[in-house]
């Protein structure tokens, strides 16, 4: 029996997958959902092809599914259900403390007849943040609320300097409420590292987003 991992490309979904593997769960697929309209990860703004590059760098199969705002739950279920005949027992998620997210995950997985695994649930956000860095993962900031972050933070590494800024400004350390989002470029799970060679920042709906122009493995 194997498990699949809900994958946004960001630090929490990546670290949850890593923790699950460390705990003995066999991960057969990454499952990623992108907006049908923009072909980017919703809220993160990460392009579909960057997620595909991540899967390639990890050497893991990827199921990438387009979703719509109104049909998300049904489309989510259809994607996960398509993998169940392969012997999927459960799905790994990167939630930390938002109860409504956990409730949704538990309900939907229950309706699919699979188990929901939450390796980061209930842990201190700062502990997760530092553990992620100290284990050798690398990530960059790809979106952030413009009322909390200046444009200069977009594209920068997730590191202790960033943690200091978060703490000084009383911003949720892991961005659990969508204050910021990240993209993991390397780490102990990765067989190859992703390099962003050229990018620019753009503003949309009160958020800064990183628009990648050139990248490589």
């Amino acid at each position: 029996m194997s498990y699949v991992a809900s994958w946004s490309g960001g630090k929490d979904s990546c670290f949850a997958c890593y923790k699950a593997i460390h705990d003995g769960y066999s991960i057969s697929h990454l499952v990623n959902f992108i907006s049908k309209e923009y072909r980017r990860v919703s809220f993160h703004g990460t392009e579909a092809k960057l997620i595909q590059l991540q899967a390639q760098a990890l050497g893991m199969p990827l199921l990438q599914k387009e979703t719509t705002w109104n049909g998300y739950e049904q489309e989510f279920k259809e994607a996960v259900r398509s993998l169940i005949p392969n012997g999927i027992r459960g799905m790994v998620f990167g939630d930390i403390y938002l109860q409504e997210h956990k409730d949704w995950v538990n309900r939907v997985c229950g309706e699919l007849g699979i188990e929901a695994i939450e390796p980061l649930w209930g842990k201190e956000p700062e502990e997760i943040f530092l553990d992620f860095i100290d284990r050798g993962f690398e990530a960059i900031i790809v979106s952030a609320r413009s009322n909390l972050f200046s444009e200069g933070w977009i594209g920068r590494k997730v590191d202790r300097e960033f943690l200091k800024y978060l703490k000084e400004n009383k911003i949720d350390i892991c961005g659990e409420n969508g204050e910021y989002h990240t993209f993991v470029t390397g780490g102990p799970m990765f067989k190859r590292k992703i390099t962003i060679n050229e990018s620019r920042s753009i503003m949309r709906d009160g958020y800064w987003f990183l628009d990648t122009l050139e990248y490589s493995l």
Side-chain angles (χ1 to χ4, degrees):
M1 300 294 285
S2 59
Y3 293 73
V4 298
S6 176
W7 189 268
S8 68
K11 60 177 177 51
D12 297 336
S13 67
C14 175
F15 203 38
C17 181
Y18 172 80
K19 287 279 194 181
I21 293 170
H22 190 267
D23 290 341
Y25 292 96
S26 174
I27 306 298
S28 68
H29 289 78
L30 306 177
V31 182
N32 171 250
F33 298 96
I34 56 172
S35 159
K36 187 173 185 178
E37 184 179 3
Y38 297 108
R39 286 196 56 78
R40 293 172 180 258
V41 180
S42 297
F43 305 111
H44 291 65
T46 307
E47 297 168 87
K49 56 189 176 182
L50 276 176
I51 301 294
Q52 294 161 16
L53 195 68
Q54 256 182 344
Q56 186 180 339
L58 287 158
M60 296 182 73
L62 170 70
L63 173 62
Q64 193 169 62
K65 171 80 172 179
E66 290 183 356
T67 61
T68 58
W69 183 261
N70 292 328
Y72 180 82
E73 182 172 317
Q74 184 59 35
E75 291 151 354
F76 177 97
K77 287 180 176 178
E78 287 172 1
V80 177
R81 190 179 286 116
S82 72
L83 295 172
I84 292 177
N86 298 332
I88 299 304
R89 183 174 179 178
M91 190 166 186
V92 178
F93 298 88
D95 299 306
I96 299 171
Y97 68 78
L98 289 182
Q99 189 63 49
E100 61 266 36
H101 285 194
K102 191 170 188 289
D103 290 345
W104 185 88
V105 161
N106 285 336
R107 177 179 62 78
V108 170
C109 285
E111 291 170 2
L112 288 169
I114 62 173
E115 183 182 3
I117 307 297
E118 295 272 16
L120 307 182
W121 184 259
K123 297 187 183 301
E124 287 295 325
E126 185 170 349
E127 176 190 333
I128 294 170
F129 188 104
L130 290 172
D131 198 11
F132 177 82
I133 293 171
D134 291 343
R135 287 179 186 262
F137 284 98
E138 296 181 13
I140 58 173
I141 302 155
V142 293
S143 68
R145 288 183 183 170
S146 60
N147 64 329
L148 299 176
F149 300 91
S150 67
E151 182 180 1
W153 284 107
I154 303 304
R156 287 181 57 170
K157 284 187 177 181
V158 172
D159 55 17
R160 280 175 166 76
E161 185 180 349
F162 183 52
L163 174 62
K164 181 182 176 184
Y165 176 83
L166 295 171
K167 292 175 73 173
E168 287 176 348
N169 290 276
K170 295 181 173 55
I171 299 169
D172 187 283
I173 290 173
C174 285
E176 185 79 337
N177 294 289
E179 292 87 348
Y180 72 94
H181 293 291
T182 60
F183 176 77
V184 183
T185 56
M189 289 171 61
F190 286 70
K191 294 177 172 59
R192 299 167 72 184
K193 184 178 176 180
I194 300 169
T195 302
I196 306 297
N197 300 309
E198 187 179 353
S199 63
R200 64 183 178 183
S201 55
I202 58 174
M203 166 78 83
R204 187 174 69 242
D205 299 329
Y207 276 81
W208 291 112
F209 289 96
L210 184 72
D211 192 26
T212 52
L213 304 174
E214 185 181 325
Y215 42 83
S216 59
L217 272 181

